[in-house]
Amino acid sequence: MKTFTLNLFIAFFLSPVAFHAQNITTVEAKTDDISNNLDLELVATLFGEAIDLEDFEYSLNNPYTRVSNLDLNEDGEVDYLRVVANSMDNAHLITIQAVLGFDHYQDVATIDVEKNSDGEAHVQVVGDEYLYGSNYIVDVLFQFLPDIIDFLWDLIFNPWKSSYSYNNYPSYYRTCEPYPTNIYAQNVLIQNNTYNIYCYTTVRKSETCKELQYRNRRNDYEIKYPTKSFANRNKGLINKYELDQKISYTETKSQKINEIKISTGKKVLKEWKPASGIAGGSSLVK
């Protein structure tokens, strides 16, 4: 019996389950900025896995996966996200809008899908400037060609609009409170398809999609709260990409200072310089 118990104990800690448990990554949200409450890479993942626009809208609002953490109207509940699609020539614009009240919507992000002369579809996810700053754009290369691309080119309705609205939600939908930002960041990590390739750019390739957005954009929340724009929330920064880079730099700098404190056990002055950079070779570390 003792031998069996010992073998079972060893087998458990050498098992794949136990090994996986030792490699769980904890993610900390970098800031509490609104733009951290809907990850555009995850939006691209869901778009690539959807079979049609209804399926895409379902995935954005699935209460079990909690893809969105947006609560723009600050009612303590995550906003329902509806999908609207417009097309012109060889381009389709898919718009994600937060439903905030009766006929009260705010564009959150758009997905540009345009085919070139060879019939190849190019996809970009564009964060709305009010939430994400100017030209926060994700170029997406999918592991496999999404089924929804064929659906868009077979679509006979233009525009296509979600049949749901404020207080008129699908049966599967459940209201829920927003996650703490660090929990939402962990949720994003778990669900994101890392086999896709995401590249950040400031160049929006489809002029047609830009025109479609200009004609159809809804910004009711922005009109009501103009001072809550990204530019006002983050002075001196262009978009969320710059915000993330700034926070990463600050965290790295802070980590290095902490490492110096740990290695010397002494206080680091603000004007600290290495001994080689000080006249006479004396150190300012005391």
Side-chain angles (χ1 to χ4, degrees), residues 165-179:
S165 56
Y166 188 70
N167 281 345
N168 174 35
Y169 304 125
S171 58
Y172 66 79
Y173 183 66
R174 300 289 184 274
T175 58
C176 53
E177 296 181 0
Y179 279 137

Side-chain angles (χ1 to χ4, degrees), residues 115-270:
K115 285 187 176 181
N116 60 22
S117 57
D118 295 326
E120 297 174 340
H122 186 271
V123 178
Q124 288 186 313
V125 183
V126 184
D128 189 80
E129 183 173 351
Y130 177 76
L131 295 180
Y132 295 90
S134 176
N135 295 321
Y136 182 68
I137 303 168
V138 184
D139 262 315
V140 189
L141 296 176
F142 294 100
Q143 182 187 16
F144 302 107
L145 180 67
D147 291 336
I148 197 170
I149 301 295
D150 289 335
F151 168 82
L152 290 174
W153 262 261
D154 292 336
L155 194 62
I156 60 175
F157 297 103
N158 183 30
W160 184 96
K161 289 187 178 182
S162 168
S163 57
Y164 302 109
S165 56
Y166 188 70
N167 281 345
N168 174 35
Y169 304 125
S171 58
Y172 66 79
Y173 183 66
R174 300 289 184 274
T175 58
C176 53
E177 296 181 0
Y179 279 137
T181 50
N182 63 314
I183 300 298
Y184 175 70
Q186 183 73 42
N187 191 43
V188 168
L189 179 68
I190 293 170
Q191 298 188 67
N192 203 1
N193 186 343
T194 56
Y195 291 101
N196 296 333
I197 298 175
Y198 310 101
C199 301
Y200 289 87
T201 180
T202 57
V203 179
R204 191 171 183 178
K205 296 184 177 180
S206 176
E207 292 296 327
T208 304
C209 286
K210 288 170 66 175
E211 175 66 21
L212 286 170
Q213 184 182 17
Y214 176 78
R215 294 181 186 179
N216 299 284
R217 184 170 181 257
R218 292 295 299 265
N219 62 336
D220 300 328
Y221 184 79
E222 177 182 0
I223 292 171
K224 188 175 182 179
Y225 300 105
T227 59
K228 292 186 178 183
S229 68
F230 183 92
N232 283 314
R233 299 194 314 267
N234 302 281
K235 299 290 187 181
L237 299 178
I238 295 176
N239 57 31
K240 176 174 163 54
Y241 183 81
E242 283 198 358
L243 174 63
D244 289 344
Q245 295 303 304
K246 177 184 177 182
I247 298 300
S248 295
Y249 171 78
T250 302
E251 289 176 346
T252 301
K253 184 177 180 181
S254 176
Q255 181 181 2
K256 288 182 178 179
I257 292 175
N258 287 333
E259 288 173 354
I260 293 171
K261 289 180 180 179
I262 293 171
S263 64
T264 64
K266 298 179 181 180
K267 182 179 179 181
V268 179
L269 302 182
K270 290 182 179 179

Side-chain angles (χ1 to χ4, degrees), residues 104-119:
H104 193 75
Y105 303 99
Q106 174 64 47
D107 282 15
V108 173
T110 60
I111 301 175
D112 297 357
V113 186
E114 188 169 44
K115 285 187 176 181
N116 60 22
S117 57
D118 295 326

